[in-house]
Amino acid sequence: MARAATTSDTFNAIAEPQRRNILMLLKNGERPAGELARDLQMTQPQASKHLRVLREVGLVQVRGAGKQRLYDLDARGLQPVHEWLGGFEQFWSESFERLDNYVQELQRTTTKESSNDNER
């Protein structure tokens, strides 16, 4: 079965770790491809390929500045990911609440057992 193109949507584009690393670097402001490549220890063509994918799904914008092309994060493109992840917020909140209740019960049990041992 053929693999889906990584440019088809935001989810596929950010599935690649190097692209997520690029987005993290771009959170601090626009940067040229060469600088991104250097910071991520990849070649300029590799960085350019990842930037093209990110640009095609709307996560990165590019502008010319003299001979350089500067890339900038467009976080609006992450909206579908944010909305999808929001559906798990209740799940995680409930899971952490259950975990907290369990830890508190363990602490009470341990304290109670320790008190009983001291009375003997």
Side-chain angles (χ1 to χ4, degrees):
M1 177 181 232
R3 185 175 166 207
T6 57
T7 59
S8 62
D9 66 23
T10 301
F11 291 91
N12 285 324
I14 65 172
E16 210 293 321
Q18 289 288 37
R19 292 189 197 118
R20 292 192 307 269
N21 291 338
I22 289 171
L23 295 176
M24 293 299 290
L25 290 174
L26 292 176
K27 278 181 19 179
N28 298 320
E30 63 183 10
R31 313 246 318 251
E35 197 176 295
L36 292 166
R38 184 193 69 230
D39 289 352
L40 295 172
Q41 299 177 350
M42 65 174 68
T43 66
Q44 173 90 27
Q46 288 172 321
S48 293
K49 182 179 177 182
H50 288 306
L51 287 162
R52 178 186 51 79
V53 170
L54 293 170
R55 191 177 69 245
E56 287 177 0
V57 298
L59 293 175
V60 168
Q61 295 180 342
V62 62
R63 73 176 180 89
K67 292 183 179 183
Q68 276 190 326
R69 292 170 53 104
L70 298 174
Y71 294 86
D72 198 16
L73 175 66
D74 186 351
R76 294 175 298 180
L78 291 170
Q79 187 65 31
V81 176
H82 175 73
E83 289 170 359
W84 182 78
L85 286 172
F88 291 93
E89 187 174 348
Q90 182 178 356
F91 168 79
W92 284 112
S93 293
E94 290 171 358
S95 295
F96 287 129
E97 189 174 319
R98 284 192 308 272
L99 178 61
D100 186 46
N101 291 339
Y102 176 73
V103 169
Q104 288 179 16
E105 183 60 32
L106 278 178
Q107 289 173 337
R108 282 192 293 269
T109 303
T110 304
T111 303
K112 193 177 195 179
E113 290 173 359
S114 181
S115 288
N116 290 341
D117 287 344
N118 289 338
E119 290 175 6
R120 292 181 190 164

